[in-house]
C-alpha cells in the first residue's frame, strides 16, 4: 500500500475529483462500444430484448422476482408508489434527508409526504421516530412508508417491516443509491413490496444518460408497472388507465448489462476506499471518539452491507472547509443542504424550522468526500491531509 513520496507529491499537483467516470470508461470502453453497436445494428431502440434481458439479470442480482425498466429513478419511484396503490389523499411517510425525488414522486402519485426525522448516527429514516408518530396516531390516511437507503446503507428494514405489518402500510424502498447493498443479508430491492433504483450517471451502477428500474416479488405489481410506463396500455392503442411514457431505452439497457457484472467488484473497492478513509481520519486525530473533534464519521450498521455510494462525514465549519478544499481542487458535495420539509415547494405542508432537528443539523454538517472505485491511496491521503491542515 505504501507509495513513494515522489508519486505522492505528483498527485498533490493534480485535482481529486468527487467522481471520475473516465477511469471506469477506460476499463470497459470496448465492451460498451460493442454493446451500443449491437443496439444500433438491431435498430430496436425502446424496450425490446436488451431491456428484457437487463430486467431478468437485475432482478436475479437483487433477489427479486421481477424488474421493470423505466426512464429514471424518479419515474421508478412514481411507478413503485402507484403500483402499491398510493393515490390522491394518501399520506406516505418518508425521510427529509434525501434527494428531492423521494418526496416529489409521492406528490406526483397524488399523495402527501409525511416527513419523520432521521437517526443521527446513520442519517437514515429513524424507525423509532416513525413508530412514535404511528402510535400517537398523528397522521390519518397513511398508506405507505418509503425509507431511503441513504448513501448506500440500507435503512433498518426489519423495523420498517414490523411497523408496515402492524399498521397495514405498503413498504416501498427508495434504493436509488443502494444497488448491491443489503440488510440482514437481504439485498436492497428484495425487501419492500416494490423498490426503485436510479442509474443516473453518478450512481454505483450507472447508465450513459437517465435510466431507472423497479423491482418487486409480486407479478401483479410488475404487470401494472409495465402498463403504467407505456401510457397505461396493455396492448397497442388500448388505454385502460392514465399512465405516462417512461420506458427504458435499449442503449441504456445494453450499457447497464455490460456494467452489472462488475458492480460487486466496484462495490467492494468502494468499501475498501471507505475503510481507508476511516483509518486515515483516525490516524490524523480528526475523529477521536472523545473531546470536541472537528470531524465525525457516520455509523455503519453491523446488519447493513454498506456500498458507499457516498462517503460522508459530519464536520464543523463545513462551508469554509468546502471552500478550502475547492481551492486545492478537491471535489466535495453536500447531500443535502436543504432538508425536504424546508423546500419552498413543500411550504404548503406546514413544517417549520426546528420540526425535524436531526435532519436540519445534518444538512448544516454533512460533506461528501471523493468516492469512486478507482480512487487511489495517494488521493485519499491528500484529501485527509488537506482536511487536517484546515483544522490545524
Ligand atoms: C435517493 C434518491 N432517490 C431518487 C433519485 C432519483 O433518481 P433519478 O435522478 O434517476 O431520477 C435519486 C437520484 O438522483 C436519489 O439519490
Amino acid at each position: 500500500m505504501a507509495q513513494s513520496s515522489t508519486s505522492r507529491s505528483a498527485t498533490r499537483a493534480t485535482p481529486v475529483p468527487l467522481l471520475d467516470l473516465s477511469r471506469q470508461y477506460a476499463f470497459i470502453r470496448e465492451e460498451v462500444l460493442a454493446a451500443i453497436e449491437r443496439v444500433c445494428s438491431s435498430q430496436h431502440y425502446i424496450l425490446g430484448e436488451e431491456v428484457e434481458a437487463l430486467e431478468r439479470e437485475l432482478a436475479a442480482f437483487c433477489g427479486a422476482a421481477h424488474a421493470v425498466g423505466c426512464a429514471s429513478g424518479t419515474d421508478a419511484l412514481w411507478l413503485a408508489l402507484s403500483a402499491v396503490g398510493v393515490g390522491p389523499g394518501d399520506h406516505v411517510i418518508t425521510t427529509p434527508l434525501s434527494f428531492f425525488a423521494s418526496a416529489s414522486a409521492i406528490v406526483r402519485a397524488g399523495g402527501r409526504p409525511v416527513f419523520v426525522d432521521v437517526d443521527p448516527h446513520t442519517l437514515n429514516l429513524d424507525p423509532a421516530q416513525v413508530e412514535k408518530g404511528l402510535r400517537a396516531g398523528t397522521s390519518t390516511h397513511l398508506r405507505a412508508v418509503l425509507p431511503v437507503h441513504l448513501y448506500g446503507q440500507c435503512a433498518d428494514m426489519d423495523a420498517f417491516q414490523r411497523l408496515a405489518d402492524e399498521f397495514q402500510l405498503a413498504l416501498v424502498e427508495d434504493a436509488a443509491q443502494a444497488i448491491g447493498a443489503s440488510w440482514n443479508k437481504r439485498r436492497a430491492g428484495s425487501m419492500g413490496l416494490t423498490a426503485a433504483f436510479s442509474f443516473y450517471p453518478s450512481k454505483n451502477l450507472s447508465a450513459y444518460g437517465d435510466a431507472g428500474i423497479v423491482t418487486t416479488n409480486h407479478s401483479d405489481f410488475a404487470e401494472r408497472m409495465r402498463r403504467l410506463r407505456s401510457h397505461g396500455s396493455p396492448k397497442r392503442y388500448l388505454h385502460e388507465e392514465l399512465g405516462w411514457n417512461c420506458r427504458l431505452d435499449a442503449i441504456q439497457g445494453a450499457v447497464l448489462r455490460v456494467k452489472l457484472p462488475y458492480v460487486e467488484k466496484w462495490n467492494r473497492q468502494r468499501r475498501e476506499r471507505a475503510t481507508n478513509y476511516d483509518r486515515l481520519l483516525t490516524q490524523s486525530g480528526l475523529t477521536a471518539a472523545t473531546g470536541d473533534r472537528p470531524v465525525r464519521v457516520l455509523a455503519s450498521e453491523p446488519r447493513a452491507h454498506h456500498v458507499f455510494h457516498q462517503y460522508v462525514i459530519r464536520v464543523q465549519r463545513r462551508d469554509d472547509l468546502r471552500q478550502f478544499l475547492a481551492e486545492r481542487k478537491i471535489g466535495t458535495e453536500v447531500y443535502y443542504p436543504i432538508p425536504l420539509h424546508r423546500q419552498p415547494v413543500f411550504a404548503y405542508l406546514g413544517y417549520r424550522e426546528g420540526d425535524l432537528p436531526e435532519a436540519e443539523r445534518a444538512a448544516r454538517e454533512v460533506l461528501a468526500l471523493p468516492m469512486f472505485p478507482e480512487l487511489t491511496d495517494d488521493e485519499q491521503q491528500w484529501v485527509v491531509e488537506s482536511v487536517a491542515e484546515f483544522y490545524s
Side-chain angles (χ1 to χ4, degrees):
M1 286 289 204
Q3 295 181 15
S4 72
S5 55
T6 331
S7 71
R8 195 170 300 134
S9 57
T11 304
R12 286 180 188 194
T14 59
V16 186
L18 183 68
L19 167 67
D20 182 357
L21 279 171
S22 66
R23 299 183 205 182
Q24 183 191 83
Y25 185 57
F27 175 63
I28 55 172
R29 184 174 180 275
E30 300 309 320
E31 282 182 273
V32 164
L33 293 179
I36 293 174
E37 161 58 24
R38 197 169 67 228
V39 175
C40 294
S41 293
S42 80
Q43 296 287 309
H44 197 134
Y45 294 112
I46 309 276
L47 299 176
E49 276 175 26
E50 291 290 344
V51 171
E52 283 165 23
L54 174 72
E55 289 174 340
R56 282 193 301 277
E57 290 157 12
L58 200 290
F61 180 86
C62 293
H66 310 275
V68 179
C70 59
S72 70
T74 306
D75 286 326
L77 279 170
W78 171 73
L79 288 169
L81 291 163
S82 303
V84 302
V86 172
D90 289 334
H91 291 194
V92 179
I93 296 170
T94 195
T95 168
L97 200 66
S98 182
F99 179 62
F100 179 64
S102 306
S104 68
I106 295 170
V107 181
R108 281 276 173 221
R112 183 181 173 98
V114 176
F115 296 113
V116 176
D117 215 349
V118 297
D119 174 336
H121 306 291
T122 62
L123 301 187
N124 267 321
L125 181 63
D126 185 349
Q129 295 288 335
V130 172
E131 180 166 5
K132 209 163 113 193
L134 288 170
R135 300 225 177 277
T138 41
S139 236
T140 50
H141 306 107
L142 279 174
R143 179 76 185 218
V145 56
L146 177 70
V148 177
H149 305 322
L150 191 71
Y151 307 145
Q153 174 164 232
C154 285
D156 181 344
M157 293 302 283
D158 295 327
F160 286 118
Q161 188 64 65
R162 268 195 308 276
L163 293 172
D165 291 344
E166 182 178 345
F167 291 90
Q168 300 196 323
L169 302 172
L171 180 57
V172 177
E173 298 171 66
D174 183 338
Q177 303 184 0
I179 184 90
S182 58
W183 179 264
N184 249 345
K185 304 208 162 31
R186 287 184 304 152
R187 276 262 160 105
S190 69
M191 296 179 278
L193 288 180
T194 53
F197 290 91
S198 163
F199 302 128
Y200 181 78
S202 66
K203 297 293 195 267
N204 291 26
L205 171 61
S206 60
Y208 286 178
D210 274 316
I213 217 163
V214 191
T215 52
T216 181
N217 284 317
H218 302 268
S219 54
D220 47 342
F221 292 154
E223 273 319 299
R224 173 110 196 273
M225 292 189 284
R226 287 184 205 288
R227 287 199 302 276
L228 285 172
R229 76 176 169 185
S230 287
H231 285 299
S233 173
K235 68 175 193 188
R236 215 171 168 83
Y237 303 129
L238 172 69
H239 302 276
E240 293 177 336
E241 64 177 324
L242 211 55
W244 198 244
N245 171 9
C246 52
R247 299 172 299 232
L248 180 58
D249 75 69
I251 287 183
Q252 301 311 335
V255 169
L256 289 163
R257 288 186 67 206
V258 169
K259 291 190 179 194
L260 182 59
Y262 295 113
V263 167
E264 299 246 42
K265 178 180 130 194
W266 290 336
N267 281 348
R268 200 163 50 243
Q269 290 171 320
R270 284 174 181 272
R271 286 168 56 82
E272 284 164 13
R273 295 299 100 207
T275 305
N276 203 34
Y277 268 136
D278 289 347
R279 184 181 58 79
L280 290 168
L281 286 165
T282 306
Q283 283 172 358
S284 70
L286 286 162
T287 56
T290 52
D292 187 24
R293 304 308 303 155
V295 176
R296 275 184 298 155
V297 172
L298 295 186
S300 285
E301 257 281 340
R303 283 170 292 174
H305 178 78
H306 194 329
V307 295
F308 290 95
H309 172 54
Q310 301 295 346
Y311 184 88
V312 173
I313 55 178
R314 299 182 72 156
V315 296
Q316 296 170 0
R317 294 191 287 134
R318 193 260 318 273
D319 296 339
D320 292 341
L321 169 62
R322 201 170 173 218
Q323 179 61 32
F324 179 85
L325 296 175
E327 279 158 19
R328 293 186 170 195
K329 297 195 167 35
I330 294 173
T332 60
E333 191 49 271
V334 173
Y335 304 109
Y336 297 87
I338 305 176
L340 295 173
H341 66 292
R342 300 296 294 148
Q343 288 291 351
V345 70
F346 292 137
Y348 71 96
L349 295 171
Y351 291 93
R352 298 215 179 79
E353 187 75 30
D355 282 352
L356 302 171
E358 294 299 349
E360 290 165 23
R361 197 169 302 129
R364 291 190 294 271
E365 294 179 358
V366 288
L367 189 68
L369 300 180
M371 170 52 82
F372 49 96
E374 303 83 3
L375 190 67
T376 67
D377 285 351
D378 259 6
E379 287 173 320
Q380 289 190 280
Q381 188 153 343
W382 176 227
V383 171
V384 174
E385 273 174 29
S386 299
V387 174
E389 215 172 300
F390 174 78
Y391 289 111
S392 63

